[in-house]
Amino acid sequence: MAISSNSLSTLLLAMIISASLSSLSGCSRDSRQSGGPIPTTHQASTTATHEPSVTPARPLPARAQTTTVPPEETTPSPFVEPAPLTSPIDCQIEPTNRKQRRLSVKRLVTEQRTQQIGQTRKFLNQATPMYRDSLVIEFKKILQNSDSGNLHIAVCKVSPDGLIEQLDGFVIPQHDPDMLTTVTREYTELTDHRLTIQLEGEDPDHHSQINIDLIYSTGQPWLPLYRDEPQLAATGFLDLHLHQTGAMAFNGGWYWGSHEPGALTERLPHCDGEHGSFHEYGFLLKNKSSRDFLYSIAPKHDVDDFLKAHRGRTDPAQYLRSDDRKHQQVAFEHLRDAHARGLSLVISTMVENFTLTNLMSNAGKGNQQWDRNTMESIKRQLISIKKISDEQDWFEVVYDPWHARKVIGEGKLAVVIGAEFSNIFPASDGPWQQQLHDLYDLGLRHLQPVHKIDSQFNSTHNQGFPFDIVNIFHALNTPEIPNAPAIERFFYGLEEPSIGLTRAGYKLLDEMVRLNMIVDLSHSGLVSQIESSDYLLQQHNFYPWIYSHWAAKDVALLEQTKQVGGMIALGWGQPVPESTLVVSEVNLPNDLTCSDWQRQLYQRYKNYVDYGINFSLSTDMNGFTSVIQPNFGPSACLLSDEEKDRSDQVKTVAVMQEYYPDQPDWVNQYWAQGTPHIGLLPGVIYDLKEVLGIDTTELENSTENFLVMWERTYDQNRQPVLESSTGY
């Protein structure tokens, strides 16, 4: 089938715009997606049979403690009569008709204002099961017609197997429409359940607005429990950025395999070869004009990844390769292997991109039962990590640096929960502060204010096709996001937009500092990096930050990072401005490394050691990035563009075994396979130390350096780590 480049452009634009607008269709206050079907009903039990597995981390907020009303009581108001105990409406099954669902079934978020018109029942459904036992909800009437009758409310919970249990029912009385009415309730035994709130007017002409606030968190900083206990320096190295739950992102349609505990045969099974692509459009590569056009706007490797199925590599022995970006790279048993070989801490970063998620969902790929909203995906991923921590004896989520020291001292892997996602804290889900507090209460301790798409806080640099197009549509359809950065990149071709932090961006930094969170400036544009680092250094007394997987964009930024005691990534496959490589050179034998990009890894290592800045390994696994290639064997230099590299490197591992006869088997695997999964990451350090003879002390102590940096966030009398040579 022949296709012109104009037709191709139209097709690609249609796909991208459709996915972008799908994600934006729920941005209005009362037009959110459904929280999922509720298939059956079940009467409430009079005895509690559910044993909660999670205790709330903090007491209820002051306003909830003083105004909470158990379901069996009512709260008198000086302005209105008490709400009756029993509501005339009971919980119902939501409609299955698509048109009715679109009108009456919405997503229940942390805070929302909703309208109730007439007697048609409205369903507000929670999309993600609760990871807490109790919750306070505040219902506040904003306005109501004077002659429209009462507003009836039923509150129910839905069990994992879909049974509905009614928790409460009450009435917001009519009375004076200008008089506010507030009802506050506390509900318990909610762990692993979803809430559904159902509204119904008493009169056909009923019209009211009600604000519903789910009070998860007090927004108070976590108080370290082990800060005053004597502890030893942490041992081992860390991975500053990996996406352990990447297979749950993008509607579960891209990465094959699971991060959950279990045997590798269960978590990395045979695949169908069709996930992680839009192979249905593979015909575009068969036509020369369309193929040339695609390769002109995006790297060939990326185009092939998106438009080609991999039916020839469906067995784990075939798809676990260093050039693969479609299969699980952080399987649980592989992570356990890495921990046994020296990995002591990871930042497990939740990830999501609404455009790819909607493309996957619209193509029928992944889990069609999941709510595709970005915030729901982040919650699902975060709760998954928390549950693994609850169940495993060697893997533990940590909430502060002293907690991490204790966990590492007990021989466990310390896991810091982070987040990197587009459409961060959308207005449709309530105040961004409350959304941040909710995730913080669940364990979030690291955050990037921006990813591939401009946010209400920050602007990114030019990400190229298709993100420049997505940014335009996202900015034009999201009032809280400035339009200028997207316009500058798309219409004027600017690599770096002239606008950096927004007013909300400065407030977000303030809040992260107050909560002792780890600020990550990766993906921020140059102006954003400059404004963020200046603000944290000057207004927040040398508060440290990290570049977990994208580089500081000039030497001054690198110098500031060093001055505040921050940390940068010794990553690969990520752009590092040459201006940051300022100190030393290292010469390596050509037969020990693959192409130039891998030599740069070793160059950067030597450079950063000499420069005196904190750094760490950073794999970005499950994040669409290249990993370390094998140096030897039949798969040597898989990603090299130079034939000479490949011909020189195709050597047997047996030759290396003659030189280094006592190395463990996993080192042989690293030489032959590179790092197709996290279990072979320690091979990088082995290679540096044993083969190249480089002093790896700084890398092997990177966990300790990271914890010292994190501890600085709690020090109100921070001083610069070293005097700056540039005058900052």
Side-chain angles (χ1 to χ4, degrees), residues 353-374:
N353 179 280
F354 62 80
T355 302
L356 185 55
T357 294
N358 283 292
L359 286 171
M360 287 278 118
S361 180
N362 293 341
K365 300 177 187 293
N367 191 329
Q368 297 299 305
Q369 300 303 311
W370 281 350
D371 188 294
R372 67 173 75 176
N373 182 275
T374 295

Side-chain angles (χ1 to χ4, degrees), residues 427-623:
S428 60
D429 282 32
W432 66 260
Q433 295 92 335
Q434 190 164 331
Q435 296 181 65
L436 174 64
H437 295 163
D438 293 349
L439 294 182
Y440 179 83
D441 198 54
L442 282 171
L444 185 75
R445 293 297 181 270
H446 156 280
L447 182 66
Q448 288 178 210
V450 71
H451 188 206
K452 296 280 190 180
I453 309 298
D454 292 333
S455 73
Q456 60 178 305
F457 309 105
N458 202 341
S459 62
T460 186
H461 56 88
N462 194 334
Q463 301 283 346
F465 182 85
F467 296 106
D468 48 1
I469 299 175
V470 176
N471 259 311
I472 285 287
F473 282 94
H474 188 53
L476 292 177
N477 285 276
T478 311
E480 61 268 26
I481 295 179
N483 296 335
I487 292 173
E488 288 178 342
R489 287 189 300 261
F490 186 74
F491 291 104
Y492 297 98
L494 296 184
E495 181 68 21
E496 299 290 348
S498 61
I499 295 177
L501 286 178
T502 64
R503 182 177 299 179
Y506 284 106
K507 291 182 179 179
L508 175 61
L509 291 179
D510 290 339
E511 193 64 5
M512 292 182 69
V513 169
R514 187 181 72 85
L515 297 173
N516 309 108
M517 294 184 69
I518 299 162
V519 178
D520 191 343
L521 300 184
S522 299
H523 286 287
S524 292
L526 175 61
V527 176
S528 295
Q529 287 189 2
I530 292 172
E531 292 177 348
S532 298
S533 56
D534 284 349
Y535 188 68
L536 292 169
L537 188 149
Q538 297 169 11
Q539 301 300 318
H540 285 292
N541 196 26
F542 302 98
Y543 192 92
W545 60 82
I546 68 173
Y547 292 97
S548 68
H549 60 299
W550 282 70
K553 290 181 174 292
D554 61 31
V555 175
L557 289 166
L558 197 66
E559 183 72 14
Q560 286 181 310
T561 305
K562 174 182 174 181
Q563 190 180 5
V564 300
M567 181 169 273
I568 61 176
L570 182 70
W572 41 84
Q574 303 291 355
V576 175
E578 292 185 5
S579 59
T580 63
L581 303 178
V582 295
V583 180
S584 61
E585 294 183 0
V586 58
N587 295 316
L588 301 175
N590 288 334
D591 62 348
L592 288 182
T593 60
C594 289
S595 56
D596 287 342
W597 67 267
Q598 189 168 355
R599 293 192 188 99
Q600 288 178 7
L601 171 66
Y602 301 123
Q603 169 66 66
R604 278 178 242 157
Y605 178 87
K606 183 70 165 61
N607 184 271
Y608 293 154
V609 170
D610 291 351
Y611 189 55
I613 193 169
N614 293 326
F615 62 90
S616 165
L617 290 175
S618 172
T619 63
D620 203 4
M621 285 189 175
N622 289 346

Side-chain angles (χ1 to χ4, degrees), residues 318-351:
Q318 299 169 323
Y319 64 62
L320 287 177
R321 296 160 48 107
S322 62
D323 64 338
D324 181 84
R325 299 189 292 181
K326 299 185 179 185
H327 298 85
Q328 177 64 252
Q329 297 172 321
V330 195
F332 195 70
E333 290 305 311
H334 286 153
L335 184 62
R336 190 199 297 265
D337 289 341
H339 174 242
R341 297 162 187 167
L343 180 67
S344 58
L345 186 148
V346 298
I347 297 185
S348 184
T349 307
M350 315 298 106
V351 65

